[in-house]
Amino acid sequence: MDFSIALSSVLLLVFLFLKVPVFISILGAAATYFALHTEINSVILAQRVLAGSQSIPLLAIPFFVCAGVFMNYTGVTKRIVDFCEAVVGNIIGGIGHVTVLVATLMGGLSGSNLADAAMEAKMLVPEMEKRGFSKAFGSVLVATSAIITPLIPPGIAMIIYGSIANVSIGKLFVAGIGPGVILCVTLMILVALVSYKRGYRSTIKVDTSAARVWKTFRGAFLPLCLPVIIIGGIRIGAFTPTEAGSVAIVYSLFLGFIYREMTLKDVIRGMKETVLTSSAIMLIIAAASAFAWALTKEKVPQYFTGLFIEHLNNPVIFLLCVNMFLLIIGMFIEGNAAMIILVPLLAPLAKHFGIDEIHFAMVVIFNFALGAISPPMGTLMFVTCSITKCPMGRFIKEAIPFYILLLACLLLLTFVPSFSTALVNLIY
């Protein structure tokens, strides 16, 4: 392997450890490579940065971000919380189950795990404390539940993966439903066990009558139709995944008109938030595209392919090694950036070992979702703790059972492909 690419990779890690913004860290590493290779025209760096952000499928990112932001201004969140509370509000650990269900249902509307975690931390953690839960447990539950968001369609991670690896984004949307539901169910089981052991029983009685369930369901019905519209529309060919994003925006504006809770000021504020969030994502993608070009030019993917074929010519061992590698990388590098750099290396390897491309995509996305709550650089951990004022040490201690559960789900997803592919095969 060339010295220049090795030095650039080391610099990238150093920058990230020093908490330099992610896109500057990656761009700095790419610029170092080009500076050391004077025979390569430096204009190529600028070309790769621009080309990395000009992929047609990536247009879906600002569309879905905008739709998710608008959803938060339409009163959708409150309606979904009311519906979830009417369904599971009175069982042991009721408000904890509500948190998990809200994260699952909102994941199909927003596509952004950080936005969902911030919203739930503000709304539900104070309510959990009021009903007897500890602040640390509530914070961990919100952060862990937000992992479901990248898995449930239309997750931004699926759009990025599909555009890089040339995998059908529509199929990835469908594939995410299985892992998302598994994580939702297992988290609810863990909440029930912890609540039973610690005596988390609310003194506040919630109305869970059939009349209230029906009333709240009617309020939440229209927002919950969005994932069905997106997947159904893509499947029947009414629109592409990119066009589905614009459909989602129109639908969110329609809900704002129906519910009469979104003003013109909210629309303007939502557009500003969309620009800021989308810009942050696209800057990372653009910078990572230049670095990925350098890796490809130095034949790093071929080098790793040869290494795996020579020493680990077994799909099971390959998947175990990939899981361990991605879990470690996810602790230090933002998931979308790591995906852009590593997927071109790993996807050809998975293909060589005969691993289904949809199955492997969900394993990669799940791994990077776990990295978002793992110390020392987990973004979900920092966002949630900054809002709830939960000490980081208490958060990590409280999160241990959740980490064990998530690792068990990862192994299940890794070695039982049907959890990812069964629905895809059924629908497609």
Side-chain angles (χ1 to χ4, degrees):
M1 196 185 299
D2 189 87
F3 168 76
S4 58
I5 198 69
L7 178 62
S8 300
S9 302
V10 170
L11 277 175
L12 171 61
L13 293 175
V14 170
F15 288 149
L16 290 170
F17 272 116
L18 293 175
K19 296 191 177 178
V20 176
V22 174
F23 85 92
I24 294 177
S25 300
I26 301 171
L27 193 59
T32 302
Y33 172 81
F34 280 90
L36 291 171
H37 280 269
T38 52
E39 76 279 6
I40 301 176
N41 193 328
S42 58
V43 173
I44 293 175
L45 174 62
Q47 288 176 340
R48 292 316 308 165
V49 169
L50 290 172
S53 60
Q54 290 177 345
S55 169
I56 294 295
L58 293 179
L59 276 174
I61 292 175
F63 288 155
F64 281 117
V65 168
C66 183
V69 171
F70 283 169
M71 283 288 184
N72 287 333
Y73 288 114
T74 57
V76 163
T77 306
K78 180 71 170 63
R79 285 173 168 81
I80 289 178
V81 170
D82 287 345
F83 171 60
C84 294
E85 190 175 52
V87 175
V88 294
N90 276 337
I91 61 178
I92 295 174
I95 190 66
H97 297 301
V98 170
T99 302
V100 178
L101 275 182
V102 168
T104 305
L105 297 177
M106 286 301 296
L109 304 179
S110 75
S112 169
N113 56 357
L114 293 179
D116 280 0
M119 175 269 297
E120 289 185 39
K122 289 172 190 170
M123 283 185 65
L124 295 171
V125 173
E127 192 63 31
M128 279 193 262
E129 286 187 86
K130 195 188 298 182
R131 301 191 190 188
F133 286 75
S134 70
K135 180 183 287 186
F137 182 82
S139 301
V140 171
L141 184 58
V142 164
T144 310
S145 300
I147 289 177
I148 298 172
T149 302
L151 304 174
I152 295 286
I156 302 299
M158 297 176 190
I159 300 168
I160 295 173
Y161 188 102
S163 64
I164 298 166
N166 198 26
V167 177
S168 165
I169 295 173
K171 288 184 179 180
L172 290 178
F173 281 173
V174 175
I177 296 172
V181 170
I182 289 168
L183 194 49
C184 172
V185 171
T186 52
L187 276 175
M188 290 180 76
I189 292 169
L190 181 60
V191 168
L193 291 173
V194 173
S195 300
Y196 179 78
K197 185 178 178 182
R198 297 184 183 178
Y200 287 155
R201 290 175 175 81
S202 174
T203 54
I204 303 170
K205 281 292 176 187
V206 178
D207 181 8
T208 55
S209 63
R212 184 168 184 248
V213 170
W214 174 244
K215 181 182 176 182
T216 54
F217 173 72
R218 282 189 303 169
F221 176 73
L222 286 177
L224 294 178
C225 286
L226 179 59
V228 179
I229 292 170
I230 291 170
I231 292 174
I234 293 171
R235 180 64 191 94
I236 65 173
F239 41 74
T240 65
T242 303
E243 292 164 345
S246 56
V247 170
I249 293 175
V250 172
Y251 193 71
S252 62
L253 290 171
F254 167 72
L255 292 181
F257 175 75
I258 292 290
Y259 295 146
R260 299 184 180 181
E261 291 191 28
M262 188 164 67
T263 63
L264 182 60
K265 192 181 288 185
D266 291 331
V267 172
I268 295 169
R269 193 184 301 130
M271 291 175 73
K272 286 180 181 176
E273 286 182 34
T274 301
V275 170
L276 290 171
T277 305
S278 301
S279 300
I281 296 170
M282 296 307 290
L283 281 170
I284 291 170
I285 290 172
S289 175
F291 190 68
W293 183 89
L295 291 172
T296 306
K297 186 182 183 304
E298 292 300 328
K299 298 184 178 179
V300 177
Q302 292 88 328
Y303 171 77
F304 278 105
T305 302
L307 207 63
F308 268 98
I309 292 170
E310 186 180 346
H311 299 288
L312 300 169
N313 199 9
N314 183 298
V316 174
I317 297 174
F318 168 72
L319 284 170
L320 284 172
C321 290
V322 166
N323 279 335
M324 286 189 285
F325 177 64
L326 294 184
L327 284 173
I328 294 167
I329 291 294
M331 291 179 182
F332 301 100
I333 304 179
E334 197 273 334
N336 292 334
M339 198 181 297
I340 295 160
I341 295 168
L342 294 173
V343 166
L345 307 180
L346 297 174
L349 277 170
K351 190 175 182 180
H352 166 79
F353 286 113
I355 298 166
D356 184 274
E357 61 181 9
I358 300 293
H359 170 221
F360 186 71
M362 296 316 301
V363 170
V364 172
I365 292 168
F366 197 99
N367 268 291
F368 286 128
L370 296 193
I373 65 159
S374 304
M377 312 245 322
T379 48
L380 281 174
M381 181 174 66
F382 284 116
V383 166
T384 307
C385 288
S386 66
I387 292 171
T388 63
K389 309 300 180 197
C390 174
M392 206 70 71
R394 285 183 59 201
F395 180 98
I396 294 169
K397 185 179 177 183
E398 190 71 69
I400 290 171
F402 289 87
Y403 290 139
I404 294 169
L405 174 72
L406 292 170
L407 287 173
C409 287
L410 175 60
L411 290 174
L412 194 65
L413 185 63
T414 302
F415 296 111
V416 186
S418 55
F419 284 125
S420 302
T421 58
L423 263 180
V424 178
N425 295 334
L426 181 68
I427 293 176
Y428 282 87

